[in-house]
Amino acid sequence: MSQVFSEETHRNLLARIPHCTGREISDWIRAVDEGPSLFRFEEKVSWLRMEHNLAYGHAKAIIHEYDLRRAARKLL
């Protein structure tokens, strides 16, 4: 997996994404879930950037959050 931001930077980016993109994090998580079946972190980031015209940092934060939530679901 690619180098991720610090936890604080990640949370700050997540807080700004709805304002910058006009969509809530849950909408972005759903978009990734319903998007193409990509396996690698950077592939998912690139897809978000190309498909939705997102900044690299925002796309990276969304994919990192997606991976965190997916891992949490597996633990339940």
Side-chain angles (χ1 to χ4, degrees):
M1 178 166 23
S2 179
Q3 177 66 29
V4 294
F5 303 113
S6 71
E7 185 63 28
E8 180 181 2
T9 301
H10 177 67
R11 293 290 156 213
N12 288 337
L13 276 169
L14 287 182
R16 286 195 309 256
I17 287 173
H19 173 73
C20 295
T21 67
R23 293 175 69 177
E24 295 296 322
I25 297 300
S26 59
D27 294 336
W28 287 115
I29 298 297
R30 191 174 314 106
V32 173
D33 213 25
E34 294 171 355
S37 296
L38 302 171
F39 294 104
R40 295 182 55 218
F41 185 88
E42 288 298 329
E43 289 176 327
K44 294 175 193 174
V45 170
S46 293
W47 174 78
L48 267 183
R49 293 185 71 209
M50 298 294 284
E51 186 72 21
H52 298 283
N53 199 31
L54 290 177
Y56 179 74
H58 291 154
K60 191 172 175 180
I62 290 166
I63 298 302
H64 181 59
E65 185 67 18
Y66 174 81
D67 287 346
L68 288 174
R69 291 181 185 193
R70 190 179 68 189
R73 284 192 309 247
K74 287 182 180 179
L75 292 176
L76 297 177

